[in-house]
Amino acid sequence: AQSVSQHNHHVILSEAASLELGCNYSYGGTVNLFWYVQYPGQHLQLLLKYFSGDPLVKGIKGFEAEFIKSKFSFNLRKPSVQWSDTAEYFCAVKGGNTGKLIFGQGTTLQVKP
Amino acid sequence: DTAVSQTPKYLVTQMGNDKSIKCEQNLGHDTMYWYKQDSKKFLKIMFSYNNKELIINETVPNRFSPKSPDKAHLNLHINSLELGDSAVYFCASSQGLGQGSYNEQFFGPGTRLTVL
């Protein structure tokens, strides 16, 4: 069965610090990978996505993620966080042809000004 | 224009009641979904429909009944509401079911259901 594991449940950083959120998945076949962000009280927004090609993908707001197939990982990075990045971050995987997105448990990022 | 819209945004109701949440997408997509986000913010798929046909039913209690009157709408009806149904429900849509960038899912704003 597919599953997604996010390593960090709660991360606290100061502004300008670098960010890396871990995400590992288990699935035997081809996958599509996503990172979503949910700002307080808001709906899910897509940060970035990987379907194929260059494993380093760039998203909105300065975020990027690297797909490492051998490690089944899709870690999210940002070189310098801002207070406005405070939010919940979700990694998600889609495998197969059912359209089903499997989400990780989420990581709460708190950025201190 | 809102791509995926849900009504209502907030729903507060008593245990035992029956309620519906509506979802509409104006993207021309063939596939729609319902996800549940629990109090710990864990997101899980409940249903998916493709061309009005049920594709996924993720062991959801049969008190939950999705209805797709047409491809642009996927409503969620919940009978005999229980305390544990309190959650945020997100609707989403995509062009199709398979993998590929054209099947990216777009999410609605969510409906926060509170059962008292």
Side-chain angles (χ1 to χ4, degrees):
Chain A
Q2 298 177 48
S3 67
V4 179
S5 175
Q6 293 182 233
H7 309 161
N8 320 93
H9 293 285
H10 197 159
V11 173
I12 302 174
L13 294 173
S14 298
E15 274 194 316
S18 64
L19 170 72
E20 180 159 3
L21 301 182
C23 173
N24 284 91
Y25 67 92
S26 70
Y27 183 73
T30 303
V31 292
N32 295 158
L33 298 157
F34 307 85
W35 275 97
Y36 285 89
V37 62
Q38 188 176 28
Y39 298 104
Q42 302 291 315
H43 62 99
L44 288 165
Q45 296 177 41
L46 183 66
L47 268 181
L48 47 76
K49 57 195 176 188
Y50 172 81
F51 291 101
S52 63
D54 189 345
L56 184 62
V57 293
K58 295 194 183 300
I60 60 172
K61 304 182 188 226
F63 286 91
E64 65 178 30
E66 185 175 12
F67 171 48
I68 303 179
K69 190 174 180 180
S70 61
K71 295 185 178 181
F72 299 91
S73 70
F74 190 56
N75 293 352
L76 181 71
R77 299 193 290 250
K78 184 171 184 178
S80 176
V81 295
Q82 301 171 326
W83 176 77
S84 58
D85 293 324
T86 295
E88 194 81 19
Y89 291 81
F90 295 94
C91 179
V93 169
K94 184 168 76 167
N97 290 316
T98 66
K100 179 177 171 180
L101 268 179
I102 305 292
F103 284 88
Q105 64 269 50
T107 296
T108 302
L109 173 64
Q110 184 182 352
V111 180
K112 295 184 174 180
Chain B
D1 281 346
T2 304
V4 183
S5 59
Q6 296 178 226
T7 53
K9 188 170 182 180
Y10 300 97
L11 184 54
V12 181
T13 187
Q14 299 287 331
M15 244 183 353
N17 284 350
D18 303 338
K19 291 293 179 186
S20 292
I21 306 171
K22 295 185 177 181
C23 178
E24 176 181 2
Q25 52 95 4
N26 62 5
L27 297 167
H29 288 166
D30 289 341
T31 310
M32 296 184 73
Y33 311 80
W34 278 107
Y35 289 85
K36 179 180 179 180
Q37 186 175 42
D38 64 22
S39 58
K40 295 184 179 178
K41 302 203 171 176
F42 184 62
L43 274 154
K44 187 173 180 186
I45 192 166
M46 300 172 70
F47 302 103
S48 72
Y49 269 72
N50 186 54
N51 284 320
K52 297 170 42 179
E53 180 185 346
L54 179 66
I55 302 298
I56 294 175
N57 180 342
E58 283 285 305
T59 59
V60 177
N62 57 14
R63 297 183 295 104
F64 290 78
S65 53
K67 288 197 171 41
S68 182
D70 54 58
K71 288 197 300 184
H73 297 84
L74 181 63
N75 303 324
L76 184 64
H77 188 77
I78 315 170
N79 290 327
S80 303
L81 278 156
E82 300 178 356
L83 293 176
D85 298 331
S86 294
V88 181
Y89 293 85
F90 288 99
C91 178
S93 74
S94 65
Q95 182 59 51
L97 292 169
Q99 297 187 22
S101 59
Y102 50 87
N103 285 334
E104 174 186 337
Q105 291 184 26
F106 295 81
F107 283 80
T111 296
R112 182 174 293 277
L113 171 64
T114 303
V115 182
L116 304 175

